[in-house]
Amino acid sequence: MESISTMLSSFFFDKPPAPSSPNQHQHQHQRSPRRAISDPTGRTNSSSSLKEHATNSAARIYNSSSILHSSTSSSYYFDDDETDQSHDNNGDDAASFYNAFILGKFFDLSTFTNRRKYESSLFFFSYRCDFPVMAPYGYTTDAGWGCMLRASQMLLCCAIRFHTVGRDWQIHDVEQKRNDAFFRQCSHYFADSPSKDSHFSIHNMVAVGLSYDKFPGEWYGPQTACLVMRELCKAFEETQFKSETPTTRPMKIVVAQEGNVYISNVEEEMCPQVDIPTADEPSIFGFGNVDNPLSISDSSKKSAKPDWHSAMLLLIPLRLGVKKIHDKYRSNLSKFFSVKSSVGFVGGTPRFALWFYGSNGSDKVFGLDPHVIQVCGRRDSNSKNNSLKFTDTFVKSMQCRSGKEAAIENLDPSLALAFYCKDRGEFEELCVELKEKGGVCSVSGGGDAPLFSLLQNAPNYDCDAGVMDDLMGGESGGESDDDDFVFV
C-alpha cells in the first residue's frame, strides 16, 4: 500500500489517479449519484444555493429513517440561555426515565443537569457545505454521503479529548471556547481543509479512503471507517515523533478483526519488542522446578514487560445480526456504555450513520446526528498560520445541546465499538471488566451473548507437514495403502 503521507499529499491533483485494477473505471461510474454541486459550465454555485441543494439532499435520506427521536427540545445547538424542558412523568417511571450511561459515567434524575452539561461538551461534526473543492471530483459538500465519516470524526475527537485533557474536561461559554487551547486545537485537527494541520479533515479521510476503493460521494461502512481512522492516526503519530517537541504522548489505533480481540496481538501492536510466550515456551509463572513443579520462580513473580510507547484506541467492527441486531446482543450493547473505557460506537442504519455515546441501560441509545448542514469554517488569511476564524456561529456549531434517541432494535447490525486505554494498566482493567460476571464479553446463562470474543492468544493455524502426513498415511510416515486396492 502506498504510504499515507504520499497519499495525502498527492490526493488533490489535476487529474484522477490511475486505476489500480482493470475494473476501477467501471467502479467510478457506479458511484453515488450525489455528484458535485456545480452547473454544466463547471462553475461552482453560490454558498446559498449550495447549502440549499445540500440540505435537500440530506433531507431525503434523513426523512427516510424513522429510528431517531429528539431527547430534548427542538433546538439542536447548545445555548447557554436555554433551560431544559422536563418531562411530565411521575413516580418510579419518571426517575428511571432519566437514567443514562454515557461514556462510562452514570447519570440519574439527581444528576440530570450534569448529564446535559456533559452531553453539550461533546464535539459535534456534521455535514458541511462550501468547503475547499475535492479536486478532481468537484465536491464542495459531503451532504448525503459523508455521515459515517462525520460520525467517525466525533468518535475520534472524543478519544483525543480523553487522551489529551481527560474525560471531565468541559467548557460551555462561547468566549472560553474561543480562547481554550484544546478547543482551538481540535477545531483545526478536524477543519474541512486539505491542509496538513487538519490531520483528520474529511478531505484527508477521503484521500485515505481511495486506497480502500472508496471514492468521494460513496457511503462508508463501519469497518472501512475504522481502517481510515487507523491510517490517519498512524500518519499523525509519525508526525508527532518527528516533531522536536511532541505536543502530547501519541495515540495508536488498533483494529480488531472478525469480532475477536486477542490480548497477545494487542501487546505486539503496542509494544513490538515484547516476546509473547507460545505453547512450546515456559509461561511467566515459571513452572518446571524439579523439587516443586508447581512453584513459581522469583524471576517470574514480576512482569518484565516494558511500558507501552503510546495510548490505544481499540476499534472493534462487528455484525450483530442479519438485518437487525439480534435479541441476544441488545442487553450487552446497552451495557457497553457503562464500561469505563467506552468511547461509544458508530452505526445506525444503511446510509444513515451516527456516533452513539450513551444508553438508558436497556433498550435505547443516545447519539449525535451529523445530518445537519452547516457552512464550512473560514480561514483568516491575515493570521500568521492561516488559522480558523472562531466566530460565534462557528464556535457554537462545534458542539450541540444534546443528542437523539434511537431504539436498539431498529439499528443496523453493522457497527464498530471503541475503547480508549492510556496504558497497559487500563487495558488490563478493561479486560477484567469485560470478562467478569455481567460484562459485555461474559458468557451467561440468561440468553445474552457476548458482543465479541476476548482471548489471550490467536489460534495457530500453522501445522507441521510431517504430522499431517503421518495422520493421512503419506510418504513421511506410515505404510503405503496402495496394496489395499486391487484392480481387476
Side-chain angles (χ1 to χ4, degrees):
M1 183 185 293
E2 187 179 5
S3 69
I4 299 304
S5 301
T6 304
M7 190 184 309
L8 297 181
S9 62
S10 63
F11 175 58
F12 301 96
F13 33 60
D14 296 329
K15 60 181 180 179
S20 58
S21 60
N23 63 348
Q24 183 163 338
H25 283 304
Q26 179 180 0
H27 189 171
Q28 284 182 271
H29 293 293
Q30 294 175 349
R31 295 200 302 271
S32 167
R34 290 175 174 80
R35 305 294 298 172
I37 305 173
S38 58
D39 61 28
T41 65
R43 297 189 303 269
T44 303
N45 291 339
S46 64
S47 298
S48 58
S49 60
L50 183 67
K51 184 173 182 179
E52 181 181 359
H53 184 99
T55 304
N56 292 337
S57 175
R60 287 194 296 271
I61 302 175
Y62 187 89
N63 292 334
S64 67
S65 176
S66 59
I67 68 168
L68 299 178
H69 302 281
S70 176
S71 61
T72 61
S73 58
S74 60
S75 177
Y76 201 71
Y77 301 112
F78 176 76
D79 189 340
D80 296 325
D81 297 330
E82 274 192 67
T83 56
D84 289 301
Q85 301 297 322
S86 298
H87 297 262
D88 294 329
N89 293 323
N90 296 310
D92 295 336
D93 291 340
S96 62
F97 175 85
Y98 291 95
N99 291 346
F101 293 97
I102 297 177
L103 301 174
K105 295 176 175 287
F106 175 71
F107 299 92
D108 56 15
L109 179 59
S110 64
T111 56
F112 182 75
T113 301
N114 294 337
R115 169 189 166 183
R116 283 292 181 246
K117 287 182 178 180
Y118 191 71
E119 287 178 304
S120 66
S121 73
L122 302 175
F123 279 84
F124 173 64
F125 300 108
S126 71
Y127 288 153
R128 296 278 181 174
C129 66
D130 203 21
F131 53 57
V133 65
M134 291 180 176
Y137 303 98
Y139 283 97
T140 55
T141 180
D142 61 316
W145 58 269
C147 54
M148 178 58 76
L149 297 180
R150 296 300 186 181
S152 300
Q153 284 182 326
M154 288 187 270
L155 185 154
L156 182 55
C157 188
C158 183
I160 293 174
R161 167 185 170 173
F162 294 170
H163 179 62
T164 307
V165 292
R167 293 176 175 268
D168 296 326
W169 175 88
Q170 295 184 45
I171 52 173
H172 302 290
D173 181 72
V174 172
E175 192 61 31
Q176 288 181 338
K177 294 177 184 178
R178 184 182 289 114
N179 297 319
D180 183 79
F182 176 71
F183 184 91
R184 295 177 67 90
Q185 182 184 53
C186 277
S187 298
H188 280 95
Y189 281 168
F190 295 89
D192 300 304
S193 170
S195 62
K196 293 184 178 180
D197 68 330
S198 299
H199 303 279
F200 309 112
S201 69
I202 192 168
H203 293 71
N204 289 337
M205 297 184 88
V206 167
V208 175
L210 293 174
S211 63
Y212 296 103
D213 204 23
K214 288 292 183 181
F215 287 83
E218 294 184 329
W219 284 278
Y220 283 62
Q223 179 158 347
T224 305
C226 289
L227 297 176
V228 167
M229 285 190 283
R230 182 186 65 184
E231 299 303 326
L232 282 177
C233 200
K234 180 180 179 181
F236 181 50
E237 182 182 10
E238 291 172 355
T239 302
Q240 286 183 306
F241 276 127
K242 290 178 181 178
S243 173
E244 294 181 0
T245 56
T247 56
T248 186
R249 186 166 177 251
M251 181 181 73
K252 185 172 185 177
I253 291 181
V254 176
V255 180
Q257 299 293 337
E258 300 178 353
N260 299 310
V261 176
Y262 299 111
I263 298 175
S264 60
N265 289 357
V266 171
E267 287 287 352
E268 290 175 359
E269 287 277 352
M270 301 304 298
C271 205
Q273 65 270 34
V274 173
D275 294 326
I276 305 300
T278 63
D280 299 327
E281 299 174 350
S283 70
I284 62 171
F285 298 107
F287 294 123
N289 183 293
V290 177
D291 298 325
N292 187 356
L294 298 182
S295 67
I296 300 177
S297 62
D298 293 337
S299 60
S300 63
K301 288 181 180 179
K302 222 175 202 182
S303 174
K305 296 178 182 177
D307 294 334
W308 285 2
H309 62 76
S310 63
M312 177 183 67
L313 176 61
L314 177 62
L315 301 178
I316 311 174
L318 298 171
R319 187 168 184 87
L320 303 179
V322 180
K323 293 184 178 180
K324 291 187 177 182
I325 295 177
H326 196 280
D327 295 350
K328 62 183 180 181
Y329 296 114
R330 294 176 187 174
S331 176
N332 278 335
L333 184 60
S334 184
K335 288 191 295 185
F336 154 74
F337 295 98
S338 66
V339 178
K340 180 182 177 182
S341 300
S342 170
V343 196
F345 70 83
V346 290
T349 61
R351 301 180 178 182
F352 192 88
L354 294 87
W355 171 53
F356 292 97
Y357 59 83
S359 75
N360 65 349
S362 57
D363 59 341
K364 297 288 193 303
V365 288
F366 312 123
L368 292 182
D369 179 11
H371 299 84
V372 178
I373 312 297
Q374 303 183 86
V375 176
C376 173
R378 301 303 180 200
R379 298 272 179 169
D380 186 357
S381 58
N382 296 324
S383 65
K384 182 178 179 180
N385 299 320
N386 194 29
S387 60
L388 289 168
K389 292 182 178 179
F390 286 87
T391 63
D392 288 358
T393 301
F394 176 74
V395 171
K396 288 185 177 181
S397 73
M398 292 292 291
Q399 293 173 309
C400 68
R401 182 173 181 79
S402 65
K404 299 295 181 70
E405 178 184 285
I408 294 178
E409 64 180 356
N410 292 333
L411 298 181
D412 187 83
S414 294
L415 50 88
L417 307 180
F419 299 95
Y420 169 79
C421 301
K422 69 178 181 180
D423 51 31
R424 178 186 287 109
E426 285 198 358
F427 177 63
E428 291 175 349
E429 290 177 3
L430 171 64
C431 293
V432 172
E433 186 176 2
L434 293 175
K435 294 290 288 184
E436 67 184 2
K437 185 176 181 181
V440 299
C441 289
S442 64
V443 180
S444 63
D448 294 335
L451 295 180
F452 56 91
S453 298
L454 180 62
L455 304 170
Q456 181 62 44
N457 296 302
N460 185 2
Y461 295 107
D462 295 333
C463 189
D464 188 337
V467 174
M468 288 301 298
D469 285 340
D470 290 342
L471 293 175
M472 300 179 66
E475 295 180 358
S476 299
E479 298 179 357
S480 173
D481 292 335
D482 291 344
D483 295 337
D484 294 341
F485 299 91
V486 178
F487 296 94
V488 180

